[in-house]
Amino acid sequence: LDSSKTSDLVYTITVQGHGKYPSDYTDEMLVSAEGFSNDEDIAKEFTYYINQLYEVDQFIGDLLTTLENRDERTIVVMFGDHLPSFEIKPEDLEGGDLFSTEYIIWDNFGLKKQSGDISAYQLSAHIMGLLGLSDGNLTKLHQNFKGSEQYDEWLKTLEYDMLYGEKYAYGGEKNY
């Protein structure tokens, strides 16, 4: 972030909480949980997993503190891309949906807090809108027509044109 004087886009994925979770560790765990499973190995795997989450949480706290103290407007978007690799069923979840995730939008310059549902493919246009930016055909479509009756049809048409069609959205230019 310090290497440029202009705005930066940083897309980062943490994988610390991913993977198979060992049950044969010997390290002392800072966080413990009870009642997840009667199977001792699964309970130890879950304990390992939540300790990984604890460390990620600590890192995110440090990151946000650092970003908050920078003299540069910053937005951070955080979300999970899938559930952990346990045999989780819909009835195990409060919302009952295996394919939805919460997201968090944090900033250091006082954006108005909002709540709502959004699809992952709409998230970048939403963030751009928060910044007052509306460049790009897809971004404009998402920002101006999300929720309209024609939105899904127009989105599908624009995507087809951009990927496989005649590139009408770009004046017919092949090298957009």
Side-chain angles (χ1 to χ4, degrees), residues 7-106:
S7 298
D8 303 293
L9 170 67
V10 179
Y11 189 91
T12 305
I13 299 172
T14 177
V15 294
Q16 184 169 351
H18 280 73
K20 287 282 194 180
Y21 311 109
S23 61
D24 59 352
Y25 54 85
T26 57
D27 297 344
E28 180 81 24
M29 295 290 135
L30 296 174
V31 181
S32 63
E34 294 178 9
F36 181 74
S37 175
N38 292 331
D39 181 311
E40 187 177 332
D41 283 343
I42 293 175
K44 285 191 82 171
E45 290 171 7
F46 187 72
T47 298
Y48 182 87
Y49 167 71
I50 62 173
N51 277 273
Q52 294 301 300
L53 289 183
Y54 174 79
E55 289 181 13
V56 170
D57 186 58
Q58 297 301 303
F59 175 81
I60 290 171
D62 292 344
L63 173 66
L64 296 181
T65 297
T66 298
L67 294 174
E68 190 168 38
N69 294 319
R70 291 180 57 79
D71 190 26
E72 183 175 13
R73 291 182 356 149
T74 303
I75 294 179
V76 176
V77 179
M78 293 177 270
F79 59 93
D81 64 338
H82 62 81
L83 292 169
S85 57
F86 295 106
E87 293 183 19
I88 298 172
K89 299 180 237 34
E91 56 269 17
D92 297 330
L93 302 173
E94 187 174 303
D97 188 347
L98 296 174
F99 303 104
S100 291
T101 187
E102 300 289 327
Y103 65 92
I104 299 164
I105 300 172
W106 175 92

Side-chain angles (χ1 to χ4, degrees), residues 105-137:
I105 300 172
W106 175 92
D107 71 273
N108 66 349
F109 55 97
L111 287 173
K112 182 181 174 195
K113 304 305 177 207
Q114 303 174 15
S115 294
D117 292 335
I118 192 166
S119 294
Y121 62 87
Q122 298 166 327
L123 191 54
S124 63
H126 177 72
I127 299 300
M128 299 277 282
L130 294 174
L131 295 170
L133 303 171
S134 62
D135 292 338
N137 293 325

